[in-house]
Amino acid sequence: AQSVTQPDIHITVSEGASLELRCNYSYGATPYLFWYVQSPGQGLQLLLKYFSGDTLVQGIKGFEAEFKRSQSSFNLRKPSVHWSDAAEYFCAVESRPDAGNMLTFGGGTRLMVKP
Amino acid sequence: EAGVAQSPRYKIIEKRQSVAFWCNPISGHATLYWYQQILGQGPKLLIQFQNNGVVDDSQLPKDRFSAERLKGVDSTLKIQPAKLEDSAVYLCASSLGWVTNTEAFFGQGTRLTVV
C-alpha cells in the first residue's frame, strides 16, 4: 500500500533563511506527488505537483520541489522564507491515478518562522 | 471561479447525537471526496464519489458514517451516533475526475467537536 512520511513534525526557521521540508513516499509505480499548505482555520491549498517530466517542479509563493526516484523523495524547498509562510505543510501521493485524485497524505510538518 | 463550499464551519455536539455536513463542489467537477483530519494528523480519505456513484469507501466507518451525493452535485456526510473520537475537521474536495494531470481543490472544512 502507498504511504507518505514526513519525518519532521515541527521546523523553525528564521525569516529570510532557506527552507527544506522532507517527504518520502512508498508507491509501486511512478507516483503523482503533491505539496499542500494549510493555514490555521483554512482548507488545503496546492503549492505544486509532479506528474512526469522535469524532476524539479516550480510552484506558487516561490516554492519548488525535486522528485528523486532513487531516494523515493519529494522535498519542498524555498530559498528565503517569509513570516507569512508559517503554516502546516502536507506531502501527498495520488493513490489511484486511474480513478481521480484520491490522495494519501503524510502527517504534516508545522513550520514556524522567527522574526 | 467559486471554490468548494462547506457548511457549517463549526459544530459542537454531544456524544451519541447525530450531525450532518454539507458540501457543494466546484461547478463541473465530477469527483467529490470527503476527508477526515484529526488534530495533528494529515487528512484521511473517507469516501470518493464519481458523479453520484461511490468509487471508494473502504475507510468509511459504515456503522456510523454515511454519505450521499444525490444528482451528482452536492453531497452530505452524516455521523450517527457520534463518538468522542470523531472530533476532527471534515474536508470536502472536488476534481475534474477521470482526467490525468488534474488536482483536487479543498473546501475550508467543518470542525466537529464531540463532547
Side-chain angles (χ1 to χ4, degrees):
Chain A
Q2 62 281 338
S3 66
V4 178
T5 302
Q6 295 180 245
D8 305 304
I9 297 175
H10 294 99
I11 282 186
T12 300
V13 300
S14 297
E15 191 168 17
S18 63
L19 171 70
E20 182 169 29
L21 302 182
R22 296 184 291 165
C23 172
N24 294 97
Y25 67 89
S26 172
Y27 188 69
T30 300
Y32 290 3
L33 296 159
F34 304 79
W35 274 100
Y36 282 87
V37 61
Q38 186 176 40
S39 298
Q42 301 298 311
L44 294 160
Q45 181 185 20
L46 181 69
L47 286 175
L48 47 79
K49 56 192 177 186
Y50 171 79
F51 291 132
S52 65
D54 193 344
T55 56
L56 185 62
V57 180
Q58 301 298 320
I60 63 171
K61 305 184 179 185
F63 286 92
E64 66 178 26
E66 186 170 13
F67 169 59
K68 293 186 177 180
R69 184 188 301 275
S70 61
Q71 299 177 20
S72 297
S73 69
F74 188 57
N75 294 348
L76 182 71
R77 301 193 294 248
K78 186 170 185 178
S80 178
V81 169
H82 188 262
W83 64 266
S84 61
D85 293 325
E88 186 133 29
Y89 292 79
F90 292 94
C91 182
V93 63
E94 197 167 275
S95 310
R96 289 180 54 188
D98 61 329
N101 306 100
M102 195 184 308
L103 298 172
T104 297
F105 284 88
T109 297
R110 181 168 296 280
L111 172 66
M112 290 171 279
V113 181
K114 291 190 299 184
Chain B
E1 177 182 274
V4 177
Q6 291 188 246
S7 67
R9 288 294 313 277
Y10 306 92
K11 191 74 176 179
I12 301 174
I13 62 171
E14 295 182 349
K15 59 183 179 183
R16 291 188 290 274
Q17 285 187 323
S18 62
V19 64
F21 313 128
W22 173 83
C23 173
N24 180 241
I26 293 173
S27 177
H29 281 192
T31 309
L32 185 146
Y33 317 79
W34 284 102
Y35 286 83
Q36 180 193 56
Q37 185 178 18
I38 293 172
L39 186 64
Q41 300 181 16
K44 182 185 79 171
L45 181 72
L46 292 176
I47 188 167
Q48 176 184 342
F49 292 95
Q50 178 71 15
N51 296 310
N52 60 353
V54 175
V55 174
D56 190 307
D57 63 356
S58 57
Q59 298 193 85
L60 188 73
K62 298 180 187 63
D63 57 332
R64 298 182 300 105
F65 285 65
S66 65
E68 61 182 11
R69 192 183 182 197
L70 300 176
K71 301 181 182 179
V73 181
D74 293 5
S75 177
T76 56
L77 176 69
K78 297 179 182 178
I79 308 175
Q80 181 179 7
K83 293 185 175 181
L84 296 176
E85 59 260 36
D86 298 331
S87 294
V89 175
Y90 291 85
L91 295 165
C92 180
S94 70
S95 71
L96 287 171
W98 303 88
V99 178
T100 58
N101 297 0
T102 61
E103 66 190 73
F105 294 84
F106 285 80
Q108 290 187 299
T110 296
R111 181 177 296 277
L112 173 67
T113 303
V114 183
V115 298

